[in-house]
Amino acid sequence: MGSNPREERILAITIRSQRLGFAVAEGSVELLHWGMIYYEKNEKARVAAAAKRIEALFARFVPSVVAIERSAREKALNPPGPRSIYQKMRKEAAHRAISVCLL
């Protein structure tokens, strides 16, 4: 059996008003980690806490792709909190040269 280069690592994230869910997979079948992160109700604290957690996920798992899912309700309402979190996530991904896919 020949050696295979590291398969693509995917960090999938879903953002809700007071929590962030994530899953990390490598290749098409190996789930490495998953979880839910809860954060403050206060708008500024929420964005700061979510941004800090996202940076930690990027640093720990070093994904090659970030897949972001938004809820239908948040797409319709487009609230500022999740929008700010998405912007920070995209900025951090760009800084680390990580591809972003919005679902």
Side-chain angles (χ1 to χ4, degrees):
M1 192 153 112
S3 64
N4 206 2
R6 186 181 138 230
E7 293 189 21
E8 189 170 69
R9 185 170 287 178
I10 301 167
L11 171 59
I13 295 177
T14 184
I15 297 174
R16 299 297 187 261
S17 60
Q18 293 180 14
R19 64 190 182 281
L20 177 150
F22 69 93
V24 182
E26 194 160 85
S28 60
V29 294
E30 187 177 359
L31 179 64
L32 300 177
H33 196 63
W34 59 272
M36 183 77 65
I37 298 167
Y38 294 89
Y39 34 83
E40 301 289 327
K41 292 182 181 181
N42 174 288
E43 186 69 31
K44 281 188 171 187
R46 177 184 337 172
V47 173
K52 184 177 179 180
R53 296 296 186 121
I54 289 164
E55 287 175 18
L57 287 171
F58 285 3
R60 180 174 179 191
F61 294 107
V62 191
S64 51
V65 175
V66 175
I68 306 168
E69 188 267 339
R70 289 178 59 177
S71 72
R73 179 177 180 270
E74 287 175 0
K75 285 184 219 173
L77 299 175
N78 202 18
R83 185 174 56 237
S84 297
I85 294 168
Y86 290 117
Q87 290 168 347
K88 289 197 178 286
M89 189 180 323
R90 291 180 92 102
K91 184 177 178 181
E92 183 66 22
H95 175 73
R96 295 174 184 257
I98 300 170
S99 299
V100 175
C101 176
L102 186 62
L103 308 172

